[in-house]
Amino acid sequence: CKTIVFSSSATVYGLPDFLPFDESHPLRPINPYGRTKYFNEEIIRDWAGTDPEKSAILLRYFNPVGAHSSGMIGEDPNGIPNNLVPFIAQVAVGRRSHLNIFGDDYDTPDGTGIRDYIHVSDLAAGHLAALNYAKDHKGVEPINLGTGKGHSVLEMVKAFEKASGTSIDYRIMPRRKGDLDSSYADTDKAEQLLGWRATKSIDDMCQDVWRWQSQNPNG
């Protein structure tokens, strides 16, 4: 094998020196998940350094959301969802009584954390573009996959209410350690090198998640 496309994460950046995050931002992960991605990136760099014919693309995902537009493929986490949108979907379909929002005093317009949510279909297209690029280019390239836009937790709640026609009950809980005020991508490199840019909005994401969840209320 001389080609790797690695599923990395925006969590490798840690606390922002500037926003949006571009690929030149220092890597200072502040949680165990981010550190595992950082260490894997370093291992891959060492692997690629052993042969000039090797190619590695480090795809730094921001926040994947959504389901296949057919409604036939979606996400059903085991136990309590760790990610926002699956949790919202389970509240909307009646599997959970309410959503917990961890903190409403962040330095953002509505006080809730801002993240760059990317549709899983856009993410898949980014992988295909990375594979095509890797065929003809050697060495290691870190590349962000995001939309370049940030949306708050409450914005996502409102978008899901619109998509589902239901009201999402939520409760404000204490902040979680390691959560950032804001995180969103500079996606210029992906467009320049891969010819790729995300095309789907948060409304598309929420509609597709609801299509799947409403057809599969129990997963």
Side-chain angles (χ1 to χ4, degrees), residues 9 22 25 30 54 63 83 92 107 115-116 124 196 199:
S9 167
D22 67 23
H25 190 282
I30 60 174
K54 288 180 176 178
N63 292 71
N83 294 324
D107 184 16
R115 297 293 180 270
D116 187 338
W196 173 92
T199 63

Side-chain angles (χ1 to χ4, degrees), residues 65-69 119 122 159 163 199-211:
V65 170
H68 193 273
S69 59
H119 196 293
D122 280 332
T199 63
K200 294 182 179 291
S201 68
I202 60 169
D203 288 332
D204 297 325
M205 299 172 207
C206 292
Q207 289 165 11
D208 289 343
V209 170
W210 180 241
R211 186 177 298 110

Side-chain angles (χ1 to χ4, degrees), residues 48-118:
T50 64
D51 185 342
E53 292 301 307
K54 288 180 176 178
S55 176
I57 311 296
L58 311 175
L59 294 179
R60 293 174 179 164
Y61 304 176
F62 277 70
N63 292 71
V65 170
H68 193 273
S69 59
S70 67
M72 297 180 68
I73 304 173
E75 180 182 8
D76 185 44
N78 291 327
I80 299 173
N82 287 321
N83 294 324
L84 174 64
V85 173
F87 206 124
I88 295 175
Q90 290 187 12
V91 173
V93 83
R95 284 173 63 180
R96 300 192 181 276
S97 62
H98 64 277
L99 168 71
N100 290 325
I101 295 178
F102 297 98
D104 65 348
D105 59 349
Y106 287 101
D107 184 16
T108 63
D110 65 22
T112 63
I114 287 176
R115 297 293 180 270
D116 187 338
Y117 297 96
I118 175 174

Side-chain angles (χ1 to χ4, degrees), residues 2 35 126 174 187 190:
K2 292 196 175 185
R35 284 193 291 274
T187 60

